[in-house]
Amino acid sequence: MIDEGRLSPQMGRLIDEAKAAALRVNRAGARAEGVALLAGDGAVFSGPAGADPDSPLSSAADAALASARDAGVTEIVAAAVAVADDPAETIYPSAEIRGCLAGIDPDLPVVVKKQGRWVLLLLSQLPPRPELKIVRVVRPDPRLLAVLEAYDLQAFGRAGLRTYDLAVLAEAGAVFAAYLGDDMVAGCQLLRMLEEPGFSYVVGFYVRPQWRGKGLGRAFLLAVADEMRKLDVEGLLLTVAPDNKPALSLYRSTGFTDEAFVPDFYGEGEDRHILRWRFDLEP
Ligand SMILES: CC(C)(COP(=O)(O)OP(=O)(O)OC[C@H]1O[C@@H](n2cnc3c(N)ncnc32)[C@H](O)[C@@H]1OP(=O)(O)O)[C@@H](O)C(=O)NCCC(=O)NCCS
């Protein structure tokens, strides 16, 4: 049983500490989870401890636990998990965080955001993280078009697609959206290439900022490739800016290989690598 009476005076502080810890996660663009632990004597310990560029995201609960242990704490009575700048209504702690907290106590009371409210649940009662669901967007209504435009703008700034472009791509190419539960977490648009009809050109591919660094980009890209295979597409072609290390790393480790480097591809100073993924070359 959760002793809400005992914990409620501490909940606000626990949530604030978890949020502050999430802001300390130092991986640009990544979805940053922070964890705060409440010790039996009322002390609060949070992780990650500081700005360590090499610290993996999964260390948030481990770091909080390590600092509690360093302080001689033997009893942890509750935890809070927060994500920096996340507008989602429900926050699902990652499997890594859950695993670490379960090591403390499989029934540890945990404060999480659920449907817009902070609630106290037992770790064992947390709903499973939903599967990534991919949807092909067909004839988007004006509201969805406006949402897709806003997400594209957020991901690509002035190079983002407008509602008009998105409507054309949904009609003449393919627009995919990825969902975790009710949250749209990623988007992608493709066109079949006139000169090489076997191949599709990836016009845009993004994971929304607060969901990055959690494996969703890779999962989404593989799901998009599966959908394209079903449409008898032989492979994908795309361009990447030379300084876009996360994207280059994702694409080169998925199946894409470098084909060319074109200076000024999208206009002056907009150099791009061209990468191609031939599905038939897969092992
Ligand atoms: C590129 C992008 C889609 C990656 O999405 P993501 O969900 O963060 O990626 P994942 O968590 O699935 O990580 C997949 C791989 O991407 C690379 N990656 C992700 N974040 C990274 C980072 N901050 N630094 C270096 N590589 C990174 C790694 O190779 C990673 O594999 P690993 O975890 O096995 O090391 C995302 O950063 C994004 O939307 N960026 C802005 C839009 C954009 O640039 N799109 C590409 C245009 S061509």
Side-chain angles (χ1 to χ4, degrees):
M1 277 294 289
I2 298 177
D3 184 350
E4 295 235 18
R6 182 177 173 207
L7 293 175
S8 56
Q10 317 277 5
M11 272 179 60
R13 191 167 149 229
L14 208 53
I15 294 164
D16 288 345
E17 287 281 346
K19 285 183 183 166
L23 290 171
R24 288 198 295 271
V25 174
N26 188 14
R27 191 173 163 193
R31 178 174 186 254
E33 282 177 299
V35 174
L37 300 176
L38 179 64
D41 64 358
V44 173
F45 299 87
S46 61
D52 174 2
D54 297 324
S55 110
L57 294 175
S58 58
S59 70
D62 295 301
L65 189 57
S67 57
R69 297 262 191 265
D70 286 350
V73 168
T74 51
E75 190 197 14
I76 302 288
V77 295
V81 181
V83 174
D85 302 324
D86 195 334
E89 290 286 289
T90 299
I91 307 284
Y92 300 97
S94 64
E96 295 89 340
I97 299 287
R98 286 178 198 219
C100 177
L101 296 179
I104 299 172
D105 175 359
D107 277 331
L108 188 72
V110 182
V111 186
V112 290
K113 197 171 149 202
K114 190 178 172 200
Q115 288 160 359
R117 290 177 49 234
W118 289 91
V119 296
L120 194 58
L121 295 172
L122 293 181
L123 186 60
S124 55
Q125 289 175 340
L126 285 180
R129 260 178 102 131
E131 291 287 304
L132 190 70
K133 200 174 105 197
I134 171 166
V135 174
R136 174 132 179 228
V137 177
V138 180
R139 281 290 158 87
D141 64 29
R143 226 181 112 252
L144 180 56
L145 277 177
V147 167
L148 294 174
E149 179 183 86
Y151 291 169
D152 230 74
L153 181 75
Q154 195 180 29
F156 300 110
R158 68 180 190 91
L161 300 170
R162 312 300 304 267
T163 53
Y164 191 95
D165 311 313
L166 287 154
V168 171
L169 282 158
E171 199 73 16
V175 174
F176 292 103
Y179 289 85
L180 270 184
D182 293 334
D183 290 313
M184 187 187 146
V185 296
C188 175
Q189 314 91 18
L190 305 104
L191 277 176
R192 210 181 267 276
M193 295 174 72
L194 267 184
E195 300 302 329
E196 297 182 83
F199 283 81
S200 281
Y201 190 95
V202 181
V203 179
F205 182 88
Y206 64 86
V207 172
R208 294 179 57 210
Q210 61 270 40
W211 296 99
R212 290 176 195 163
K214 306 300 294 176
L216 296 175
R218 190 181 299 282
F220 184 39
L221 184 57
L222 294 174
V224 166
D226 277 347
E227 291 301 314
M228 297 314 280
R229 278 192 199 92
K230 286 184 208 158
L231 296 169
D232 289 330
V233 168
E234 293 164 32
L236 307 177
L237 194 110
L238 51 74
T239 64
V240 191
D243 60 353
N244 193 344
K245 300 277 181 286
L248 280 169
S249 168
L250 168 64
Y251 297 140
R252 287 174 179 152
S253 65
T254 312
F256 283 91
T257 53
D258 285 68
E259 186 159 290
F261 178 76
V262 184
D264 302 330
F265 185 91
Y266 289 117
E268 198 167 343
E270 296 293 342
D271 307 343
R272 289 296 185 271
H273 291 282
I274 299 181
L275 276 70
R276 189 186 292 262
W277 181 1
R278 292 178 190 276
F279 295 150
D280 64 348
L281 290 187
E282 280 172 327

